[in-house]
Amino acid sequence: MRYAPRLVPAGSAPPDALVEPLIEKPPASPLGEHALIPQVAWMVERDGDFVHVPASERDELDAMRGSAIETMLDGEITSEPLDVPGVTIATSGTYAAELILDPDHLDMLHQLLKVQGYLAGVPRRGRLLVGGVGAGIEGMQAFVARVRTEHDAAPAGERISPIALFVRDGAPTAAIGELQLVALAATQR
């Protein structure tokens, strides 16, 4: 059996599907961005297509996680810099968006970017955007806008989330939107 975790828009999985939150109990945001944080839907390959795993199979989740790593290694991954101020990288490939579930990958990005925290976005399937560091508030605003633009430009069935996520200690911890960045800018004046 080939299992794969797939990031899906919040609330889009069928009611009987095995789904986990990407961020446990995210802090609330004034404009409700936390409600747009993607969820992790567990899928299994049947007859060449990935279909949702029933919630009743939750006890087998550890075995699914092990199998999913092998499944995710099947596809090619490519990276390129983004035309956004600061250090920004886009990774593309079948399971690129799901790299946000890999703490080792996120820790490596902390080391490469030489920061304690950074922004990440999963606007559509097969796409992970990372950055928003090194160019101040303007760079973060440009990054947030890029995530939303890529999300809105994607076909409806491929869209995951229009928001940027703050990554710290190898895990996404909060949703970041324009209101949070305006508040942050005000504290730096």
Side-chain angles (χ1 to χ4, degrees):
M1 296 272 275
R2 284 165 38 94
Y3 288 97
R6 297 304 296 263
L7 291 175
V8 297
S12 67
D16 63 341
L18 178 53
V19 177
E20 297 179 292
L22 178 61
I23 301 175
E24 288 284 348
K25 298 180 183 170
S29 54
L31 296 180
E33 289 97 338
H34 63 286
L36 299 173
I37 295 172
Q39 294 178 315
V40 184
W42 284 89
M43 313 286 279
V44 65
E45 187 178 27
R46 291 203 177 106
D47 300 323
D49 291 323
F50 280 97
V51 297
H52 285 278
V53 170
S56 60
E57 294 184 26
R58 182 169 297 279
D59 291 344
E60 300 169 34
L61 194 52
D62 285 340
M64 290 180 209
R65 289 185 202 282
S67 175
I69 292 170
E70 294 177 16
T71 303
M72 289 172 61
L73 294 175
D74 287 350
E76 281 188 32
I77 297 278
T78 60
S79 294
E80 78 268 8
L82 290 175
D83 58 346
V84 176
V87 181
T88 53
I89 304 163
T91 302
S92 299
T94 305
Y95 296 103
E98 284 75 22
L99 290 174
I100 204 163
L101 304 175
D102 182 354
D104 292 335
H105 179 78
L106 297 180
D107 279 336
M108 180 193 67
L109 289 171
H110 281 291
Q111 294 169 22
L112 288 174
L113 297 173
K114 297 179 173 53
V115 293
Q116 291 182 339
Y118 56 87
L119 299 180
V122 286
R124 63 176 173 82
R125 283 193 183 160
R127 189 84 163 151
L128 171 66
L129 308 181
V130 172
V133 295
I137 298 297
E138 291 84 14
M140 290 189 283
Q141 288 171 327
F143 184 85
V144 167
R146 176 64 180 256
V147 172
R148 182 167 293 280
T149 298
E150 286 202 20
H151 171 269
D152 294 348
E158 297 294 309
R159 294 177 186 168
I160 297 177
S161 178
I163 60 162
L165 303 166
F166 183 68
V167 178
R168 174 180 283 170
D169 298 327
T173 59
I176 302 294
E178 275 302 315
L179 197 57
Q180 288 87 356
L181 294 176
V182 168
L184 181 61
T187 64
Q188 295 183 348
R189 290 185 190 143

